[in-house]
Short mmCIF file of all heavy atoms in Angstrom, two decimals:
data_model
loop_
_atom_site.label_atom_id
_atom_site.label_comp_id
_atom_site.label_asym_id
_atom_site.label_seq_id
_atom_site.Cartn_x
_atom_site.Cartn_y
_atom_site.Cartn_z
N VAL V 83 157.88 97.43 256.57
CA VAL V 83 158.01 96.42 255.52
C VAL V 83 157.63 97.08 254.18
O VAL V 83 156.61 97.77 254.14
CB VAL V 83 157.08 95.20 255.82
CG1 VAL V 83 157.06 94.25 254.66
CG2 VAL V 83 157.52 94.51 257.13
N PHE V 84 158.44 96.88 253.20
CA PHE V 84 158.27 97.60 251.95
C PHE V 84 157.44 96.82 250.92
O PHE V 84 157.24 95.64 251.08
CB PHE V 84 159.60 97.95 251.29
CG PHE V 84 160.38 99.01 251.97
CD1 PHE V 84 161.05 98.79 253.13
CD2 PHE V 84 160.36 100.31 251.46
CE1 PHE V 84 161.73 99.76 253.80
CE2 PHE V 84 161.04 101.32 252.11
CZ PHE V 84 161.73 101.06 253.26
N GLN V 85 156.96 97.54 249.91
CA GLN V 85 156.12 96.95 248.88
C GLN V 85 156.92 95.84 248.13
O GLN V 85 156.46 94.76 247.97
CB GLN V 85 155.64 98.02 247.93
CG GLN V 85 154.46 97.60 247.08
CD GLN V 85 153.88 98.79 246.33
OE1 GLN V 85 154.03 99.94 246.72
NE2 GLN V 85 153.22 98.50 245.23
N THR V 86 158.11 96.22 247.63
CA THR V 86 158.99 95.20 247.16
C THR V 86 159.99 94.89 248.30
O THR V 86 160.60 95.85 248.83
CB THR V 86 159.83 95.68 245.94
OG1 THR V 86 160.10 97.08 246.12
CG2 THR V 86 159.10 95.44 244.65
N PRO V 87 160.20 93.63 248.66
CA PRO V 87 161.02 93.34 249.83
C PRO V 87 162.38 94.02 249.77
O PRO V 87 163.09 93.90 248.80
CB PRO V 87 161.11 91.84 249.77
CG PRO V 87 160.01 91.39 248.98
CD PRO V 87 159.69 92.41 248.01
N GLU V 88 162.69 94.77 250.78
CA GLU V 88 164.01 95.39 250.92
C GLU V 88 164.85 94.57 251.94
O GLU V 88 164.60 94.63 253.14
CB GLU V 88 163.91 96.85 251.45
CG GLU V 88 163.22 97.81 250.51
CD GLU V 88 164.14 98.33 249.43
OE1 GLU V 88 165.32 97.95 249.36
OE2 GLU V 88 163.68 99.13 248.59
N ILE V 89 165.73 93.74 251.35
CA ILE V 89 166.57 92.97 252.21
C ILE V 89 168.03 93.15 251.75
O ILE V 89 168.26 93.84 250.74
CB ILE V 89 166.22 91.47 252.12
CG1 ILE V 89 166.18 91.05 250.68
CG2 ILE V 89 164.90 91.20 252.83
CD1 ILE V 89 166.01 89.60 250.47
N PHE V 90 169.02 92.58 252.45
CA PHE V 90 170.41 92.68 252.03
C PHE V 90 170.71 91.53 251.09
O PHE V 90 171.07 90.45 251.54
CB PHE V 90 171.32 92.68 253.23
CG PHE V 90 171.02 93.79 254.23
CD1 PHE V 90 170.49 93.54 255.46
CD2 PHE V 90 171.24 95.14 253.91
CE1 PHE V 90 170.20 94.56 256.36
CE2 PHE V 90 170.94 96.16 254.78
CZ PHE V 90 170.44 95.86 255.99
N GLY V 91 170.50 91.76 249.77
CA GLY V 91 170.56 90.66 248.85
C GLY V 91 171.93 89.97 248.77
O GLY V 91 172.03 88.77 248.52
N ASP V 92 173.02 90.74 249.00
CA ASP V 92 174.37 90.14 248.86
C ASP V 92 174.79 89.40 250.10
O ASP V 92 175.84 88.69 250.09
CB ASP V 92 175.41 91.26 248.64
CG ASP V 92 175.06 92.09 247.45
OD1 ASP V 92 174.49 91.56 246.51
OD2 ASP V 92 175.43 93.28 247.41
N LEU V 93 174.01 89.48 251.17
CA LEU V 93 174.38 88.82 252.42
C LEU V 93 173.58 87.50 252.56
O LEU V 93 172.59 87.31 251.90
CB LEU V 93 174.11 89.78 253.60
CG LEU V 93 175.20 90.77 253.96
CD1 LEU V 93 175.56 91.65 252.77
CD2 LEU V 93 174.77 91.62 255.12
N THR V 94 174.05 86.66 253.45
CA THR V 94 173.31 85.40 253.69
C THR V 94 172.06 85.71 254.50
O THR V 94 171.95 86.79 255.11
CB THR V 94 174.20 84.39 254.43
OG1 THR V 94 174.45 84.86 255.75
CG2 THR V 94 175.48 84.13 253.73
N VAL V 95 171.15 84.75 254.52
CA VAL V 95 169.90 84.91 255.26
C VAL V 95 170.23 85.10 256.79
O VAL V 95 169.65 85.97 257.41
CB VAL V 95 169.04 83.68 255.09
CG1 VAL V 95 167.85 83.65 256.05
CG2 VAL V 95 168.58 83.58 253.67
N MET V 96 171.21 84.36 257.24
CA MET V 96 171.59 84.51 258.69
C MET V 96 172.15 85.89 258.98
O MET V 96 171.75 86.55 259.96
CB MET V 96 172.69 83.42 259.00
CG MET V 96 173.17 83.47 260.42
SD MET V 96 171.85 83.05 261.59
CE MET V 96 172.74 83.27 263.15
N GLU V 97 172.97 86.41 258.09
CA GLU V 97 173.53 87.77 258.26
C GLU V 97 172.43 88.80 258.22
O GLU V 97 172.40 89.74 259.00
CB GLU V 97 174.56 88.08 257.22
CG GLU V 97 175.88 87.34 257.47
CD GLU V 97 176.88 87.47 256.30
OE1 GLU V 97 176.46 87.59 255.19
OE2 GLU V 97 178.05 87.45 256.57
N ASN V 98 171.49 88.61 257.29
CA ASN V 98 170.31 89.50 257.23
C ASN V 98 169.60 89.56 258.55
O ASN V 98 169.19 90.65 258.96
CB ASN V 98 169.30 88.98 256.15
CG ASN V 98 169.60 89.59 254.80
OD1 ASN V 98 169.09 90.71 254.54
ND2 ASN V 98 170.34 88.97 253.99
N MET V 99 169.50 88.40 259.21
CA MET V 99 168.74 88.39 260.46
C MET V 99 169.57 88.94 261.61
O MET V 99 169.04 89.44 262.59
CB MET V 99 168.35 86.97 260.72
CG MET V 99 167.24 86.82 261.75
SD MET V 99 165.75 87.80 261.32
CE MET V 99 164.76 86.57 260.53
N MET V 100 170.91 88.86 261.45
CA MET V 100 171.76 89.34 262.58
C MET V 100 171.81 90.85 262.67
O MET V 100 171.95 91.41 263.71
CB MET V 100 173.19 88.78 262.43
CG MET V 100 173.28 87.31 262.85
SD MET V 100 174.91 86.66 262.34
CE MET V 100 176.02 87.37 263.58
N ILE V 101 171.70 91.46 261.47
CA ILE V 101 171.84 92.94 261.46
C ILE V 101 170.77 93.66 262.33
O ILE V 101 171.15 94.47 263.16
CB ILE V 101 171.86 93.45 260.02
CG1 ILE V 101 173.22 93.05 259.41
CG2 ILE V 101 171.67 94.98 259.95
CD1 ILE V 101 173.36 93.40 257.97
N PRO V 102 169.48 93.33 262.18
CA PRO V 102 168.54 94.01 263.08
C PRO V 102 168.74 93.65 264.54
O PRO V 102 168.43 94.49 265.41
CB PRO V 102 167.15 93.44 262.59
CG PRO V 102 167.45 92.32 261.71
CD PRO V 102 168.80 92.51 261.14
N VAL V 103 169.26 92.43 264.81
CA VAL V 103 169.52 92.09 266.23
C VAL V 103 170.64 92.97 266.79
O VAL V 103 170.56 93.47 267.90
CB VAL V 103 169.83 90.59 266.38
CG1 VAL V 103 169.96 90.22 267.84
CG2 VAL V 103 168.74 89.73 265.74
N PHE V 104 171.65 93.19 265.95
CA PHE V 104 172.74 94.09 266.37
C PHE V 104 172.18 95.49 266.56
O PHE V 104 172.51 96.21 267.55
CB PHE V 104 173.84 94.15 265.27
CG PHE V 104 174.94 93.17 265.48
CD1 PHE V 104 175.13 92.15 264.51
CD2 PHE V 104 175.75 93.20 266.56
CE1 PHE V 104 176.13 91.23 264.67
CE2 PHE V 104 176.79 92.28 266.72
CZ PHE V 104 176.97 91.27 265.77
N ALA V 105 171.32 95.93 265.62
CA ALA V 105 170.75 97.28 265.74
C ALA V 105 169.93 97.45 267.00
O ALA V 105 169.96 98.52 267.63
CB ALA V 105 169.86 97.55 264.49
N LYS V 106 169.30 96.39 267.41
CA LYS V 106 168.43 96.46 268.61
C LYS V 106 169.37 96.55 269.84
O LYS V 106 169.09 97.36 270.76
CB LYS V 106 167.62 95.18 268.69
CG LYS V 106 166.89 94.94 269.99
CD LYS V 106 165.56 95.65 269.98
CE LYS V 106 164.87 95.49 271.34
NZ LYS V 106 163.90 96.56 271.56
N ARG V 107 170.46 95.81 269.85
CA ARG V 107 171.34 95.78 271.00
C ARG V 107 172.24 97.02 271.07
O ARG V 107 172.44 97.59 272.13
CB ARG V 107 172.19 94.52 270.99
CG ARG V 107 172.94 94.28 272.31
CD ARG V 107 173.99 93.18 272.21
NE ARG V 107 175.15 93.66 271.47
CZ ARG V 107 176.21 92.84 271.20
NH1 ARG V 107 176.20 91.59 271.63
NH2 ARG V 107 177.21 93.29 270.50
N ASP V 108 172.83 97.39 269.88
CA ASP V 108 173.90 98.43 269.92
C ASP V 108 173.46 99.79 269.50
O ASP V 108 174.31 100.68 269.54
CB ASP V 108 175.05 97.92 269.06
CG ASP V 108 175.65 96.66 269.56
OD1 ASP V 108 175.51 96.34 270.74
OD2 ASP V 108 176.32 95.93 268.75
N GLY V 109 172.29 99.98 269.02
CA GLY V 109 171.85 101.29 268.57
C GLY V 109 172.37 101.60 267.17
O GLY V 109 172.78 100.72 266.41
N ALA V 110 172.28 102.87 266.77
CA ALA V 110 172.47 103.26 265.40
C ALA V 110 173.90 103.09 264.89
O ALA V 110 174.13 102.93 263.71
CB ALA V 110 172.08 104.73 265.21
N PHE V 111 174.91 103.07 265.77
CA PHE V 111 176.26 102.90 265.32
C PHE V 111 177.10 102.36 266.49
O PHE V 111 177.03 102.87 267.64
CB PHE V 111 176.89 104.21 264.86
CG PHE V 111 178.37 104.15 264.58
CD1 PHE V 111 178.81 103.41 263.44
CD2 PHE V 111 179.30 104.73 265.39
CE1 PHE V 111 180.16 103.33 263.18
CE2 PHE V 111 180.66 104.66 265.09
CZ PHE V 111 181.10 103.91 263.99
N ARG V 112 177.91 101.36 266.18
CA ARG V 112 178.91 100.92 267.19
C ARG V 112 180.10 100.38 266.39
O ARG V 112 179.96 99.61 265.50
CB ARG V 112 178.36 99.88 268.09
CG ARG V 112 179.28 99.57 269.23
CD ARG V 112 178.75 98.49 270.15
NE ARG V 112 179.92 97.74 270.68
CZ ARG V 112 179.79 96.58 271.28
NH1 ARG V 112 178.60 96.04 271.47
NH2 ARG V 112 180.85 95.94 271.73
N MET V 113 181.25 100.80 266.85
CA MET V 113 182.47 100.41 266.17
C MET V 113 183.04 99.12 266.77
O MET V 113 183.93 99.18 267.60
CB MET V 113 183.49 101.57 266.28
CG MET V 113 184.76 101.44 265.56
SD MET V 113 184.53 101.90 263.85
CE MET V 113 186.08 101.29 263.16
N HIS V 114 182.51 98.00 266.35
CA HIS V 114 183.08 96.73 266.80
C HIS V 114 183.76 96.07 265.63
O HIS V 114 183.23 95.21 264.97
CB HIS V 114 182.09 95.81 267.45
CG HIS V 114 180.67 96.00 266.94
ND1 HIS V 114 180.39 96.48 265.71
CD2 HIS V 114 179.49 95.83 267.55
CE1 HIS V 114 179.06 96.53 265.55
NE2 HIS V 114 178.51 96.20 266.69
N ALA V 115 185.03 96.56 265.34
CA ALA V 115 185.71 96.24 264.13
C ALA V 115 186.62 95.00 264.28
O ALA V 115 187.05 94.43 263.27
CB ALA V 115 186.56 97.40 263.64
N ILE V 116 186.89 94.57 265.50
CA ILE V 116 187.84 93.48 265.70
C ILE V 116 187.12 92.19 266.11
O ILE V 116 187.62 91.11 265.78
CB ILE V 116 188.93 93.92 266.73
CG1 ILE V 116 189.64 95.17 266.26
CG2 ILE V 116 189.93 92.80 266.93
CD1 ILE V 116 190.42 95.04 265.02
N GLU V 117 186.03 92.31 266.80
CA GLU V 117 185.34 91.11 267.30
C GLU V 117 184.92 90.25 266.15
O GLU V 117 184.60 90.76 265.02
CB GLU V 117 184.12 91.50 268.10
CG GLU V 117 184.41 92.28 269.34
CD GLU V 117 184.29 93.80 269.15
OE1 GLU V 117 184.55 94.23 267.98
OE2 GLU V 117 183.94 94.53 270.08
#
Side-chain angles (χ1 to χ4, degrees):
Chain V
V83 172
F84 286 79
Q85 197 170 337
T86 33
E88 294 278 2
I89 51 170
F90 302 111
D92 304 329
L93 274 56
T94 65
V95 171
M96 180 64 183
E97 287 171 329
N98 267 276
M99 198 54 97
M100 283 169 76
I101 288 175
V103 185
F104 270 116
K106 170 87 184 157
R107 191 191 73 180
D108 298 338
F111 173 71
R112 189 182 147 194
M113 185 80 191
H114 26 29
I116 302 296
E117 297 94 330

